[in-house]
């Protein structure tokens, strides 16, 4: 490793060892998932080909096409092949083909099949068109960043969650004017478990709006408007997780989102989604997000809402290392890895702040280029808003001290109700005050050799290596069955969505994997 200078007295050989173990685990998973595809991967291809809209019963057309192929027992060769063949045979566009399938006027499996090479030629053209749109969106982001400027890290990240996208817009613009750099639009409760992407704008969501293309578009336009007003680029976040992980990633890429929550382990542990389904879906979704220049956020912070932060801190580090390697294998550069962790020590723990500082500094040293995403205290927030404000302030101190990339601000009323605009104002104002006043504290202060902070960080890394060694032996799937993360056990053949997984057939073709990864390798 080049110039590894550790403030924590971490041995670079141990860091190398931890990375190698994580790489072995990730390679094992990636080699396994490449043999499979899923209904959500195939629907993603349909969306990239321009298939959009719903049928008379409100079923999204990508679902209609993929379900049609599945019912005909033809899915193993993938949707791209049949759509490409239908374009050749009928001269229709993919959208017209989907509409014909929806009205029972067309059976994709009954058309005369053209040669695989001819079909691939059509498919590649369709794929290049979609990739061209993503390239334009990337160029647009770059232009806006150059024109408006990129705020300093840690980016101030806040959430809007009214359930009405138009109300979310009002709140999001207000938050940006108050100083927010990233706006996350919270998703309607349990969208993770829907095996389709809802269509259109949401005005009556529960706890949030649906992740839909139209909602992405509405918020993107609103954030671009306010960005020009405040003269700094504003990033938009949504959730590419659950049973439609790659589809939502594709919609985010097409609508220029900047950050997406994307972590299969979260879906397995906290939403009971089948592990094979979600790892296959994650691989394709990360290829898309990597190509689109979208930062991924991983969900390690959630482990500490179910397990103790002091006892289980090492599971966060192990998971971050595995997530890093899975992301690299999908073509995501380190600069787009918002690896997650959280300020969740029990406030009654003596020296808890020092342990937090050790954990956050360890994450920073292990992933020097990553815009780490640091989550505020939630588990130990109470109805005492004054103590809550102090807990959030201490979290912000650690954030600036250890140079976190993305700071999701805590709100003092978090444990009582959905925070008011005024609570958000106080949170942003306090964070800006702390970030400005302590901007360079991390460069000025060194840790006592062999002291509490150094010892804690070294202990956590040692425990993480020990866990990774066990996981390499068992493989990721068996380790999840044993409950290594968040004290939660999941069976390999259990959970939701397994019936949507299939083994790729002889002529299976997904043009996007090769094209998007090729760009990374060139």
């Amino acid at each position: 490793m080049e110039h590894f200078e550790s403030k924590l007295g971490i041995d670079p050989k141990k860091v190398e060892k931890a990375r190698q173990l994580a790489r072995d685990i990730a390679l094992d998973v990636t080699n396994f998932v490449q043999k499979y595809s899923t209904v959500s991967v195939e629907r993603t291809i349909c969306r990239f080909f321009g298939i959009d809209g719903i049928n008379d019963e409100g079923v999204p057309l990508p679902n209609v096409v993929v379900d049609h192929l599945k019912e005909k027992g033809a899915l193993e060769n993938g949707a791209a092949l049949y759509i490409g063949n239908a374009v050749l045979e009928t001269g229709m566009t993919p959208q017209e083909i989907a509409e014909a399938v929806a009205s029972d006027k067309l059976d994709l499996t009954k058309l005369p099949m053209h040669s695989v090479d001819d079909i691939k030629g059509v498919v590649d053209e369709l794929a290049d068109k979609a990739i061209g749109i993503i390239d334009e969106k990337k160029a647009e982001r770059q232009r806006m960043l150059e024109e408006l400027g990129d705020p300093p890290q840690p980016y101030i990240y806040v959430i809007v969650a009214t359930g009405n996208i138009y109300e979310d817009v009002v709140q999001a613009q207000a938050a940006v004017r108050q100083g927010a750099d990233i706006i996350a639009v919270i998703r309607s409760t349990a969208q993770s478990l829907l095996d389709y992407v809802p269509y259109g704008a949401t005005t009556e969501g529960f706890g949030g709006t649906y992740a839909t293309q139209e909602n992405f578009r509405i918020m993107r336009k609103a954030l671009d408007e306010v960005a020009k007003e405040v003269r700094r680029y504003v990033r938009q976040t949504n959730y590419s997780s659950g049973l439609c992980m790659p589809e939502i990633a594709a919609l985010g890429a097409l609508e220029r989102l900047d950050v997406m929550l994307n972590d299969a382990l979260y879906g397995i542990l906290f939403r009971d989604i089948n592990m094979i389904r979600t790892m296959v879906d994650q691989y394709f979704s990360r290829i898309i997000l990597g190509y689109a220049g979208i930062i991924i956020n991983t969900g390690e912070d959630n482990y500490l809402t179910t397990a103790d932060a002091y006892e289980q801190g090492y599971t966060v580090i192990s998971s971050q290392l595995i997530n890093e390697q899975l992301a690299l294998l999908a073509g995501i550069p380190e600069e787009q890895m918002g690896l997650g962790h959280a300020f969740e020590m029990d406030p009654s723990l003596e020296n808890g702040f020092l342990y937090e500082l050790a954990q956050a500094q360890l994450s920073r040293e292990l992933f020097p280029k990553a815009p780490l995403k640091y989550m505020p205290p939630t588990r130990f927030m109470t109805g005492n808003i004054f103590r809550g404000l102090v807990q959030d302030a201490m979290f912000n101190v650690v954030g600036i001290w250890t140079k976190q990339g993305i700071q999701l601000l805590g709100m003092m009323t978090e444990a009582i109700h959905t925070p008011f605009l005024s609570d958000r104002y106080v949170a942003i104002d306090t964070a800006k005050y702390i970030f400005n006043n302590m901007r360079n504290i991390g460069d000025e202060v060194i840790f006592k050799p062999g002291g509490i902070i150094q010892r804690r960080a070294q202990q956590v890394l040692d425990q993480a290596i020990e866990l990774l060694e066990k996981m390499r032996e068992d493989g990721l799937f068996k380790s999840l069955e044993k409950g290594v993360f968040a004290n939660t056990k999941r069976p390999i053949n259990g959970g939701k969505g397994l019936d949507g997984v299939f083994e790729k057939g002889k002529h299976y073709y997904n043009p996007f994997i090769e094209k998007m990864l090729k760009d990374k390798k060139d």
Side-chain angles (χ1 to χ4, degrees):
M1 290 186 67
E2 71 277 12
H3 325 300
F4 184 77
E5 268 187 55
S6 173
K7 294 187 173 193
L8 296 169
I10 297 292
D11 176 355
K13 285 198 184 70
K14 281 190 177 170
V15 175
E16 269 309 303
K17 183 182 182 180
R19 268 213 162 74
Q20 192 51 58
L21 290 165
R23 185 157 188 84
D24 291 346
I25 294 164
L27 263 171
D28 185 41
V29 174
T30 303
N31 290 335
F32 175 81
V33 302
Q34 281 171 353
K35 300 195 222 30
Y36 298 92
S37 183
T38 71
V39 287
S40 35
V41 168
E42 300 311 306
R43 296 192 303 249
T44 306
I45 294 169
C46 292
R47 286 180 184 278
F48 273 144
F49 287 175
I51 296 175
D52 193 16
I54 49 181
N55 70 5
D56 303 342
E57 280 145 21
V59 180
L61 292 183
N63 286 68
V64 171
V65 172
V66 172
D67 291 348
H68 163 76
L69 291 171
K70 194 180 176 191
E71 278 155 28
K72 302 284 179 187
L75 201 52
E76 63 168 25
N77 287 316
L81 208 71
Y82 285 96
I83 293 167
N85 184 61
V87 169
L88 270 176
E89 182 60 29
T90 66
M92 296 196 283
T93 64
Q95 178 67 17
E96 288 163 349
I97 289 163
E99 287 166 8
V101 170
S103 58
D104 287 331
K105 288 182 185 136
L106 183 62
D107 181 340
L108 294 175
T109 62
K110 293 259 164 62
L111 293 173
M113 284 307 272
H114 290 248
S115 82
V116 173
D117 286 344
D118 289 350
I119 295 173
K120 281 187 174 175
V122 170
V123 165
D124 284 343
E125 257 175 63
L126 289 168
D128 288 340
K129 209 163 138 189
I131 288 171
I133 298 172
I134 298 172
D135 290 340
E136 277 166 35
K137 297 292 179 182
K138 277 160 54 174
E140 197 174 14
R141 182 192 294 120
Q142 207 36 54
R143 272 199 310 277
M144 288 187 76
L145 278 164
E146 282 160 19
E147 182 196 330
L148 298 171
D150 199 359
Q153 294 187 7
Y155 298 134
I156 291 177
Y157 177 123
V158 301
I159 61 186
V160 292
T162 66
N164 180 332
I165 192 65
Y166 300 106
E167 184 56 36
D168 278 352
V169 159
V170 175
Q171 291 216 3
Q173 289 187 329
V176 171
R177 291 184 189 111
Q178 290 165 355
D181 303 312
I182 304 185
I183 302 290
V185 182
I186 299 299
R187 244 183 0 177
S188 197
T189 305
Q191 185 176 348
S192 283
L193 305 181
L194 299 180
D195 214 339
Y196 63 94
V197 179
Y199 182 75
T202 307
T203 54
E204 294 181 332
F206 293 94
T209 51
Y210 288 116
T212 72
Q213 189 163 3
E214 184 58 20
N215 286 339
F216 290 178
R217 198 178 293 137
I218 291 167
M219 185 55 76
R220 176 76 278 164
K221 185 168 172 278
L223 293 181
D224 287 348
E225 274 167 22
V226 75
K228 290 189 176 104
E229 181 189 313
V230 299
R231 304 297 306 158
R232 64 176 194 284
Y233 187 69
V234 180
R235 286 176 169 81
Q236 179 179 352
T237 299
N238 212 294
Y239 294 69
S240 160
S241 59
L243 289 168
C244 297
M245 200 184 240
E247 283 181 272
I248 296 171
L251 298 178
L254 294 170
E255 297 299 335
R256 188 168 47 83
L257 268 65
D258 306 284
V259 185
M260 295 199 97
L261 284 284
N262 181 264
D263 190 351
L265 298 177
Y266 173 84
I268 297 163
L269 298 169
F270 301 102
R271 293 291 177 265
D272 193 22
I273 294 173
N274 174 266
M275 58 179 82
I276 300 172
R277 165 72 179 261
T278 192
M279 294 311 291
V280 175
D281 283 350
Q282 175 177 275
Y283 179 62
F284 188 33
S285 66
R286 286 192 173 180
I287 289 171
I288 296 165
L289 296 172
Y291 185 83
I294 293 173
I295 293 170
I296 62 165
N297 281 340
T298 60
E300 284 82 5
D301 53 282
N302 293 286
Y303 301 173
L304 305 181
T305 55
T306 53
D308 181 73
Y310 182 78
E311 298 297 335
Q312 299 279 311
Y314 68 94
T315 64
V316 169
I317 297 292
S318 310
S319 179
Q320 286 173 334
L321 284 158
I322 293 169
N323 251 321
E324 175 195 44
Q325 294 303 321
L326 286 168
L328 286 170
L329 289 168
I332 293 185
E334 291 166 72
E335 292 76 5
Q336 279 170 241
M337 292 184 200
L339 300 166
H341 58 135
F343 186 102
E344 290 286 19
M345 292 287 168
D346 186 333
S348 65
L349 182 68
E350 189 172 10
N351 286 321
F353 180 83
L354 304 190
Y355 300 135
E356 277 298 353
L357 192 54
Q359 182 87 23
Q361 180 65 25
L362 179 58
S363 289
R364 176 35 75 219
E365 289 191 8
L366 289 174
F367 311 103
K369 294 180 186 164
L372 298 172
K373 183 186 178 211
Y374 199 21
M375 298 286 278
T378 52
R379 191 177 181 179
F380 295 102
M381 290 300 264
T382 66
N384 179 345
I385 61 168
F386 302 106
R387 189 176 86 163
L389 191 60
V390 173
Q391 283 171 268
D392 286 335
M394 290 173 78
F395 156 71
N396 288 331
V397 168
V398 176
I400 191 71
W401 191 329
T402 59
K403 298 182 163 65
Q404 298 300 310
I406 297 172
Q407 191 89 349
L408 195 153
L409 298 192
M411 307 279 151
M412 57 192 177
T413 49
E414 196 123 43
I416 313 171
H417 58 70
T418 302
F420 297 135
L421 288 177
S422 51
D423 303 336
R424 197 181 291 140
Y425 171 76
V426 170
I428 294 172
D429 201 48
T430 312
K432 284 168 73 173
Y433 163 59
I434 291 169
F435 292 171
N436 183 51
N437 254 265
M438 304 183 78
R439 179 63 62 191
N440 292 100
I441 190 167
D443 305 322
E444 293 293 316
V445 179
I446 55 175
F447 301 130
K448 176 180 166 186
I452 293 172
I453 292 172
Q454 283 203 357
R455 284 203 315 273
R456 169 66 184 173
Q458 291 162 15
Q459 174 203 3
V460 169
L461 182 60
D462 286 343
Q463 289 174 309
I465 289 171
E466 200 179 316
L467 174 60
L468 288 167
E469 278 173 331
K470 276 200 211 88
M471 288 183 71
R472 180 172 70 175
E473 208 172 297
D474 288 341
L476 182 66
F477 294 130
K478 187 168 253 164
S479 303
L480 291 167
E481 290 198 297
K482 287 182 172 180
V484 296
F485 295 130
N487 297 339
T488 306
K489 295 179 181 178
R490 295 294 185 207
I492 189 160
N493 290 322
K496 302 165 187 80
L498 180 60
D499 57 346
V501 180
F502 63 92
E503 211 163 331
K504 293 174 180 175
K506 194 168 82 161
H507 296 301
Y508 180 83
Y509 188 50
N510 175 349
F512 295 98
I513 291 182
E514 209 173 300
K515 286 175 184 288
M516 288 177 168
L517 285 178
K518 177 180 171 290
D519 173 74
K520 295 286 175 196
K521 289 183 183 124
D522 283 354

